[in-house]
Amino acid sequence: MEAKVLPGNKIEIDLPPDTVLNTAGNTIEVILLLPEKSTRSTEPSILEILAEIHSQRPSSRNLEEINRDLQAERDTWDS
């Protein structure tokens, strides 16, 4: 079954007419499956952020260069 989201983030579900249930006033369990692609968020996903970071980093740095850069940064903390 499908239902549209109503104003106020509410949904209304009509049971099929051939459903034989005497559940008026009782609590029932409803399983809700949201669409995979949500249009609510325009923020980038963590995978998109990581891809952007990886695309901007230098690819040819070796361990010595990284350690030298880290030490240079640490040296600026003391001054």
Side-chain angles (χ1 to χ4, degrees), residues 3 10 14 21 25-26 34 40-41 49 51 57-58 62-63 73:
K10 297 184 185 276
D14 291 321
L21 293 175
N26 292 334
L34 297 174
R40 291 182 287 162
S41 177
I49 293 170
R57 71 174 184 198
N62 62 31
L63 182 59
E73 181 64 28

Side-chain angles (χ1 to χ4, degrees), residues 25-53:
N26 292 334
T27 300
I28 62 170
E29 180 177 334
V30 176
I31 298 173
L32 178 67
L33 301 174
L34 297 174
E36 285 187 33
K37 185 175 180 181
S38 174
T39 58
R40 291 182 287 162
S41 177
T42 58
E43 299 295 320
S45 72
I46 188 66
L47 293 177
E48 293 169 329
I49 293 170
L50 289 173
E52 178 68 22
I53 291 170

Side-chain angles (χ1 to χ4, degrees), residues 3-14 30-32 34:
K4 289 190 177 191
V5 178
L6 303 173
N9 284 337
K10 297 184 185 276
I11 59 171
E12 183 175 290
I13 301 171
D14 291 321
V30 176
I31 298 173
L32 178 67
L34 297 174

